[in-house]
Amino acid sequence: MTVDSPTTEPEITRSSRVGTAMLWALSVGASVGGIFSGWNPGLAQAGFGGMLVATLVAIMLYLFLVMSIAELAVMMPFAGGTVNYARTAFGVWGGFLAAISALIAYTFAMTSLMGIMTTEVTRILVELNGPNIPAPVLWAVFLLGFGWLNLKDRRTFFIAALVLALVTLAVLFVTAIAVVPSFEPAALLSIPANLNGNEWLPHGLLGIAFAIPFAMWFFLSIEVVSYAAEDALTPDKSVPRSLLMALLTLAVCALIILTVLSGAKPGALMIAKATDPLSTSLEVVFGKMSLLYLVPLIGAVAGFHSVIYSASRVVFSLSRSGYLPSGLSTIADNRGTPVKAGISVCVVVYAISCLTLFAPANVKIVEMLINMAAIGGLLTYIFVFASYVKLHASYPKLERPFTSTFGGTGAIAGLMMTAVGLLLMVVYAQHLSALLGCLGVFLVATVLFFIFRPKHLRADSPDEIYARALQNKSSSLTE
Amino acid sequence: MIHMIPNTFIEVLQLAIVIVLTITALSELIAVIAARGHGLLNMGLQLAALAAALHISRDWVYGLAFQNIFSSQAHFSEVMLTISMVATGFGVDQLVRYFIWEGHFSRVHQIKAPGLLVGIVRVTIYVICVLSVLQFVYGQTITALATLSGALAVVLGLSAQTTLGEMFAGIAIAVSRPFHIGDWVKIGDLEEGEVIDQTWRTVRIRTRDKTVMNITNRIVAERPVKNFSHQLHGVRQSELIAVSNVLEPAVVEAVLIKALMASGLVLADPGPNVLFKRVYEGLSEFGVSYSIANYAERVIIADKIWKIIHATLRDNKIAFGLAERRLEVINSK
């Protein structure tokens, strides 16, 4: 049995759509920042051996995730991605909670990436004896610049995403080549072992569990393609292909960088403590150079560019379905981009960044924002997997143009792994404040939604038409 | 050397594989329970892979988690290999079920796989499994067992020659499929009837008088089988009818064709046919042939058709023929 496609053509599909290569670039650009930094504290938790195991487990988790997303995105090729899957599987409240998770993930990721970019640009300016530009001015420049690239037109955005993805991969490649000559296998195992461990697993098997959230950094945000289904020329082909190609690219890069950086000078012990592992390794080879500050900046820029896109698509989709004011889902006629949604995202991110200026000095605010983004991301994964399982259980006979090779088993495994990952992330002491922050956002958003929006939900958006059509046909698809 | 934590690169990779396989096997188990038994094939293969991975990783897995359960590492290794091989056998059994019994038979040919064949294949798979475990895991030479099995097979074969012959004939019939349950057949010169069952020894046929005839598989395999239920265009039936020869044959033919078509009992394609056969004793004889879809109702349909023909001839004032025989008594005197 099939469910009729919505008769209303999604508004976002007016101008030229994109193919597999552009979607791959979007996905790689969104995640590649995690290979530049963020993963390395995992080495301190588990050593090289444990981090390698954690990375392989994370690759498996993300394989389950991209296959599940590919199936759902081909079934529901709408801009809301996870929000639409959760709405169809769990109703309006399911969609709403998934939307809050996605918004937490992308707005806080934007804020934290902007923080990293500001730090790196300030360092470069100081090195070059340049002017001291206040952070709010730099934020405004970043948001105006990348906001313009995002909203000018689709073609410009995707070409920029492709260029950034290729540049970041080139930087990773050059870094690996540059530091390989100093590679020594003994340096891989330089993390001191405790009583329960050995040189390969210095903190025993438990260390691997704590390294898994760090290994997930390598691939965090790979799912942004699910928000680009309306921009895809042939979503049934390009979405699965781009997701798998992106995962393959990131997995290869992650394994190479993990191995080469851990084994090359200054060794795994120093890399585990570094704020910016790539620059730390390159400094050993080339000495201190202002140019090296560009390395972390490039990773953050690529992520920032892709994440603005995802956040604006989520806001656009929520507005089109009535969860947010309908004015935000306006599309610029000659651009095919959700201009007001994009501008509103930039304004919110700027406001959050300004609020961080008032944070107490003892609060590591950028770290907390990064962790909030990661928790939001993991919550969206839980919604993806749970929606997949629910839709398979409720509509086993529904015709699916693309099916995940791993089926329900992969989704259940992914659900368990993500839940464990989230738990470990929270248990890890410094993430508790991030969890409380996320809960606060959920609480406020739920109260606001309950007061203002239930009466404004619309039935004529493509995703809502699909969800209702599926419900109406449910009796013939359940047996 | 037994230890509790992987301490080489290969063992670290083993650890990653064991973690992934444990998670997926656990997920598969949950999926199978939720789907009420669907997905057993994957379950079997997952379990086989996990047990094999645990066997390969025995140097550290045993020390880590199984030291209190198994008396020695060798014992642990034997159990893991046994689980792996039996689970592989289970996986192969499920694979055959999915692709052959449910795939080739049910999905492709819309027929149920013969229980006898299914049983023999399943027993063979598990016997091979058990013999492999004995040979490769426990180091028991199975030559003696195979020889004993062979001798036993010869003794059994001789003492149960007839029965085994029936069984193999049954397999041959199951594979060649000259008929299905529910078909109307005529086997050799035996009475025609409906096939109601096939066992490892006999084929059961219910005849028109509702008696059940048990025919051994060997007889069925050796005789020609005429199947009335597998005709693409129905089964052709013929009747002979004689009318008075005072009428033009073409008129009678047209009336009979019209009556048959109007009856609604015969197939339009191929349509009914009437042939002028001969003239004898003042009668014109016509051969009437028509096709019916359901051979089981042949007698009832023939009865109805005769009644319709009778009524049609009467309405058209065509008399059934009465043979006219002139007797000349010659008085020799």
Side-chain angles (χ1 to χ4, degrees), chain A residues 87-109:
Chain A
R87 157 67 188 97
T88 308
F90 299 109
V92 170
W93 281 100
F96 171 74
L97 293 175
I100 301 303
S101 306
L103 286 176
I104 288 174
Y106 297 124
T107 50
F108 287 103

Side-chain angles (χ1 to χ4, degrees), chain A residues 112-186:
Chain A
S112 51
L113 286 168
M114 208 162 67
I116 294 169
M117 287 157 65
T118 305
T119 308
E120 298 306 328
V121 168
T122 308
R123 279 169 69 186
I124 292 169
L125 289 174
V126 168
E127 282 289 318
L128 299 173
N129 295 319
N132 182 18
I133 303 173
V137 176
L138 283 176
W139 297 338
V141 171
F142 293 142
L143 287 170
L144 284 170
F146 287 99
W148 176 80
L149 265 181
N150 249 275
L151 304 173
K152 182 179 175 291
D153 62 60
R154 186 171 15 218
R155 190 174 168 73
T156 308
F157 166 78
F158 276 103
I159 288 174
L162 183 63
V163 170
L164 283 170
L166 292 175
V167 168
T168 50
L169 292 178
V171 169
L172 291 175
F173 183 72
V174 168
T175 305
I177 297 287
V179 301
V180 149
S182 67
F183 185 88
E184 287 174 14

Side-chain angles (χ1 to χ4, degrees), chain B residues 96-114 117-118 173-177 180:
Chain B
V96 171
R97 178 180 66 83
Y98 184 77
F99 287 107
I100 310 288
W101 312 141
E102 290 177 2
H104 180 75
F105 281 92
S106 299
R107 283 194 289 274
V108 178
H109 295 293
Q110 275 86 44
I111 51 172
K112 189 171 177 279
L117 189 63
V118 173
I173 294 167
V175 172
S176 62
R177 279 282 168 198
H180 302 137

